[in-house]
Amino acid sequence: MKSLVRENDKLPWSSAPGRLHIVTFGCQMNEYDSQRMAQMLMASYCLTPYMDQADLIIVNTCSIREKAEHKLYSLLGRLKRFKCSNPVLKIGVAGCVAQQLGAKLFQRAPQVDFVVGPQGIYRLPMLMERLQGGNDRLHDTGLQGDFQIPYIDALLPRKGDVRAFVTIMQGCDNYCTYCIVPLVRGREISRPVEDILREIGSLVEQGVKDVTLLGQNVNSYGKNLSKCVDFPSLLLEIDRAFPGIRLRFTTSHPKDISDRLIGCFGSLSTLCEHLHLPVQSGSDRILKRMKRRYSRAQYLEKVKKLRNVCPDITITTDLIVGFPGETEEDFRQTMSLLEEVRFDQAFAFKYSERPGTAAVRFQEKVPEEVKSRRLTRLLKLQNQIGLEQYGRLQGSVCKVLIESCSGPKVTGRTRGNHVVNMEGREGLVGRLVNVYIERACHHSLIGTIIH
Ligand code: SAH
Ligand code: SF4
Ligand code: F3S
C-alpha cells in the first residue's frame, strides 16, 4: 500500500481548497494512474499525506491475486470510521478491482461513493462534478476497444521527483491462463509516439532524469497504431530526443523479445542495462498450460543473446509456484532454471485462482501447504543467488543517480537498477555520483561516494 505523498514531501503542490489522499495498490501502471488522477483533480484538491484529514480518498486497487483484493476490503473497513467523523468525506475506488466488480462494490461496501475503472479515471473531473451536484453511487467502468489515454498537461504531483513512469500502452491481448489483467484492463492499446515524446519532454523539464516506459507487454507496442512504429523504433526516437536521460521499460513478454530489441541494449546510450523478463516457470509442460507461448530453451536462448550483447545486464523475473498440475518434477525444473540463469532478483508468487480466467477450470489443483513449501524453497535459493549476483559489484565503482535523502543518508540507483544506500546530503538529489560499493545486502548495496 503506497500513499501518493509522504509526510516529509514538500507540500503544497496545489493551493486548491479540497484535500485529497490517494492509496495505491498493485503495479507501476497503477502508480502512474494515481498520479494522473491527482493531476486531473489539482484545480480542486491539494494532496495530503494524512488520510484522516482528507475530504476525498481514492483507493486505486489491484486484483492480480486474491490477497490484493482482500487488502481493499480491510482498508474500506477502516475508512468507514472516517466517514462518521467527517460527513463531507467522499470515498472512491479505482483500478482493477473497480473494473472487475463495478456497481457490485456498493453492495459490499456501502461507504463507497464512486467506482471508476482504468479508463474511467480520465473522466474523473466530470464524475466529481456530478457527485458534488448531489448524485451518489456513481460508477464508470466502461472499457472501449478504441480508447486513447488523453495527454494531461499538468505538474507532477510530487515536486522534485528524479524518476518517473510513462505508460506507453495499456491492456493485454495475451490471455495467459492464470491472469486477470486482460479482463480488467481490456485490449492492448498503444499511445501515439508524439504524446509519449511530449510527456517525457515535460517530465525532463520538471527535473526528471530516469524514465521507465510502462505497459503489460511493451514489446508489442505499436500493433494498433496507424503510423508504422514498433517498440525498438520508439526507443530509438526517445534516445535521440532525450540523450541525457536514463531510459528503462517494463514489462516484457519473452515471446516478443526480438533480436532488434536485444540489439538496442548494445546501441542506445540512454537504455539502462536492466531487463525484467518474467519466466513464470521452468517447466515446458507448465509453460504450455499457462499459455505463455515460449519454451524453457527459447527463454534461455534469449537470455544468452542478451548477455552476448550486454554482458553486465541485470536480469530480473517473476515466478508462479503451485500452478494447477505443477508436480514436484515441474517445480524442480523451475529451481534448476534459477540456477542456470542466475537472476539478480525474482518476484515469486503462490498461484492464486482468479475469477473468469481459463485456469479456474484446470484440474489437479496444488494444495496451499505444498505451494507454501515450494515458495519457501524457491525464495531460499533465489536469496542466495541474488546475494551472490549483487556481491559481484562489491569493490567496484558505479555511477549512481541519487533519488532521495532521509536524514544523513541518500538513496540512489545504478544503471543496472541496483538500489544503493550511502551517506550524503539533500543537495545531492538529482545528481550523478561515483560510488565505491562496500557490500551487498538482499536487494540493495551499501557504498561510499568518492569525489
Ligand atoms: N504483464 C506481465 C505481468 C503482469 S502481472 C507479464 O506478462 O509478465 C505481474 C506478475 O504477477 C506476473 O508476472 C505473474 O508472475 C504474477 N501473477 C499474475 N497472475 C497471477 C495469479 N493468478 N497468481 C499468482 N501470480 C500471478
Ligand atoms: Fe497477464 Fe500474461 Fe498479459 Fe502479462 S502477458 S498481463 S501475465 S495475460
Ligand atoms: Fe494489479 Fe491491475 Fe496492475 S491487477 S498488477 S493493478 S494491471
Side-chain angles (χ1 to χ4, degrees):
M1 173 169 138
K2 272 193 187 155
S3 157
L4 197 55
V5 286
R6 293 185 290 258
E7 261 176 66
N8 59 357
D9 277 347
K10 289 180 216 76
L11 296 168
W13 144 86
S14 136
S15 55
R19 280 157 303 170
L20 166 66
H21 183 89
I22 305 186
V23 177
T24 311
F25 295 112
C27 62
Q28 292 157 334
M29 300 185 77
N30 260 15
E31 284 182 45
Y32 177 88
D33 288 352
S34 290
Q35 294 203 337
R36 299 296 83 77
M37 288 193 272
Q39 288 177 315
M40 280 184 288
L41 295 173
M42 125 182 237
S44 325
Y45 292 92
C46 63
L47 285 166
T48 172
Y50 307 107
M51 211 186 268
D52 57 351
Q53 290 180 10
D55 315 304
L56 173 62
I57 300 177
I58 301 179
V59 189
N60 199 3
T61 59
C62 171
S63 56
I64 199 82
R65 287 168 287 276
E66 205 181 356
K67 224 176 173 176
E69 212 180 314
H70 285 162
K71 283 190 200 155
L72 166 69
Y73 300 122
S74 76
L75 177 64
L76 286 177
R78 277 167 55 209
L79 296 188
K80 204 171 175 178
R81 289 198 298 274
F82 291 168
K83 264 204 155 167
C84 302
S85 52
N86 179 5
V88 297
L89 171 66
K90 298 281 180 210
I91 299 174
V93 177
C96 295
V97 181
Q99 188 64 43
Q100 184 193 345
L101 298 182
K104 281 192 220 138
L105 256 168
F106 297 127
Q107 287 151 25
R108 198 152 175 182
Q111 66 273 40
V112 172
D113 297 287
F114 64 91
V115 174
V116 278
Q119 293 185 2
I121 60 165
Y122 291 96
R123 297 180 285 265
L124 202 51
M126 275 158 356
L127 189 127
M128 291 310 296
E129 262 175 40
R130 285 172 57 208
L131 205 66
Q132 253 107 42
N135 294 291
D136 61 1
R137 302 264 165 109
L138 299 174
H139 69 101
D140 182 346
T141 47
L143 274 186
Q144 261 102 45
D146 57 353
F147 175 79
Q148 275 301 338
I149 297 181
Y151 181 80
I152 296 167
D153 206 358
L155 288 177
L156 277 178
R158 284 164 47 101
K159 259 176 89 184
D161 271 353
V162 176
R163 288 178 81 206
F165 301 123
V166 175
T167 292
I168 61 162
M169 54 153 348
Q170 58 171 23
C172 182
D173 290 347
N174 283 321
Y175 292 90
C176 302
T177 55
Y178 51 82
C179 186
I180 199 166
V181 170
L183 313 180
V184 289
R185 289 265 169 175
R187 304 303 303 263
E188 271 175 21
I189 310 163
S190 301
R191 292 180 77 188
V193 182
E194 302 72 44
D195 280 17
I196 296 167
L197 291 174
R198 198 170 144 210
E199 194 161 311
I200 298 176
S202 146
L203 293 170
V204 169
E205 250 170 54
Q206 291 176 57
V208 167
K209 298 192 162 98
D210 188 316
V211 175
T212 305
L213 309 177
L214 296 180
Q216 289 300 349
N217 180 16
V218 288
N219 308 142
S220 56
Y221 173 82
K223 247 172 35 187
N224 65 301
L225 291 174
S226 48
K227 188 176 166 189
C228 197
V229 57
D230 62 3
F231 188 55
S233 36
L234 173 71
L235 292 178
L236 186 64
E237 289 213 33
I238 298 172
D239 182 80
R240 278 205 197 123
F242 307 101
I245 61 166
R246 285 181 169 191
L247 184 61
R248 311 173 188 278
F249 57 84
T250 196
T251 301
S252 305
H253 195 301
K255 76 173 164 53
D256 297 318
I257 293 269
S258 63
D259 288 348
R260 263 185 77 215
L261 180 61
I262 293 174
C264 289
F265 283 100
S267 62
L268 303 183
S269 63
T270 54
L271 190 60
C272 291
E273 294 76 19
H274 170 219
L275 183 66
H276 185 63
L277 198 57
V279 65
Q280 314 300 357
S281 168
S283 151
D284 280 339
R285 214 176 60 85
I286 296 299
L287 286 172
K288 207 165 199 168
R289 280 171 79 102
M290 288 176 162
K291 211 171 118 218
R292 288 293 285 179
R293 288 176 277 186
Y294 54 83
S295 65
R296 175 192 175 103
Q298 284 166 332
Y299 185 91
L300 290 172
E301 182 60 24
K302 306 239 169 170
V303 169
K304 196 166 141 199
K305 280 187 181 170
L306 278 159
R307 286 185 170 148
N308 279 342
V309 169
C310 184
D312 291 328
I313 192 164
T314 301
I315 302 180
T316 54
T317 201
D318 290 345
L319 298 151
I320 296 177
V321 296
F323 185 73
E326 185 189 74
T327 61
E328 184 59 29
E329 176 48 32
D330 293 317
F331 175 67
R332 266 203 289 273
Q333 290 189 26
T334 300
M335 296 283 271
S336 82
L337 183 100
L338 291 191
E339 299 197 78
E340 208 166 330
V341 177
R342 300 189 63 76
F343 293 106
D344 295 82
Q345 212 171 331
F347 302 88
F349 311 100
K350 285 192 272 183
Y351 169 70
S352 166
E353 188 167 283
R354 305 311 291 134
T357 59
V360 168
R361 296 187 303 273
F362 291 5
Q363 306 295 312
E364 306 162 79
K365 305 272 191 254
V366 176
E368 241 357 84
E369 62 274 17
V370 176
K371 284 188 209 168
S372 298
R373 274 204 302 275
R374 286 183 186 165
L375 183 65
T376 309
R377 282 161 65 194
L378 189 145
L379 290 177
K380 192 169 164 221
L381 174 63
Q382 178 52 37
N383 274 343
Q384 182 201 325
I385 295 172
L387 199 59
E388 284 164 16
Q389 288 294 104
Y390 272 54
R392 296 190 332 169
L393 290 171
Q394 210 164 296
S396 67
V397 174
C398 295
K399 285 232 177 301
V400 174
L401 179 61
I402 307 293
E403 290 172 6
S404 63
C405 173
S406 150
K409 301 256 176 218
V410 288
T411 301
R413 197 175 294 265
T414 65
R415 281 179 59 104
N417 210 37
H418 308 91
V419 170
V420 189
N421 294 304
M422 70 225 102
E423 280 185 13
R425 55 194 162 75
E426 175 85 43
L428 289 170
V429 174
R431 297 253 306 270
L432 201 58
V433 291
N434 287 319
V435 178
Y436 177 78
I437 305 299
E438 314 268 355
R439 70 187 165 90
C441 309
H442 287 294
H443 318 312
S444 68
L445 299 166
I446 295 180
T448 311
I449 297 176
I450 49 176
H451 298 280

